[in-house]
Amino acid sequence: TFLGTSDYKSTCYVYNLTKVNTSLFATALPQFFPEINQILLFATPEVRKDIKGNLKNLQQQLGDSLKIVPIPNGYTTEELWEIFSALTTNVDEGEEVVIDITNSLRSIPFLV
């Protein structure tokens, strides 16, 4: 999953008849996919500063299942490759993956 620095508002997300009201989609993932055992949050420096409290909120709601993976902003070609590397080195071959790009930054969804 990804996260931005916005002031997210609560929304009702629906998947396979399950409804979840939350301001951060990543908190709905375990309810939509109970078999998930880890959620990787690819977080830019701004997200890690957590000015809006989004990261703290995610950590409180997801607990030990949340792993924060630092990534750069993706301003340069080198930074885009760093993001790509962070994605590929944190997912093992053969793993099933659910990718959440709901709250991601700029062009990162296209890279993913």
Side-chain angles (χ1 to χ4, degrees), residues 19-65:
K19 294 180 181 183
V20 178
N21 288 303
T22 182
S23 59
L24 300 170
F25 181 77
T27 62
L29 288 171
Q31 295 176 60
F32 293 151
F33 304 96
E35 65 278 9
I36 286 178
N37 56 25
Q38 185 174 54
I39 295 176
L40 303 175
L41 170 65
F42 296 91
T44 63
E46 289 78 12
V47 168
R48 294 190 310 273
K49 288 179 188 173
D50 203 27
I51 294 168
K52 301 280 186 182
N54 294 327
L55 180 56
K56 182 179 179 182
N57 187 356
L58 271 182
Q59 289 173 314
Q60 289 173 339
Q61 292 189 51
L62 297 174
D64 292 336
S65 67

Side-chain angles (χ1 to χ4, degrees), residues 7 17 35 97:
D7 185 19
L17 302 178
E35 65 278 9
V97 177

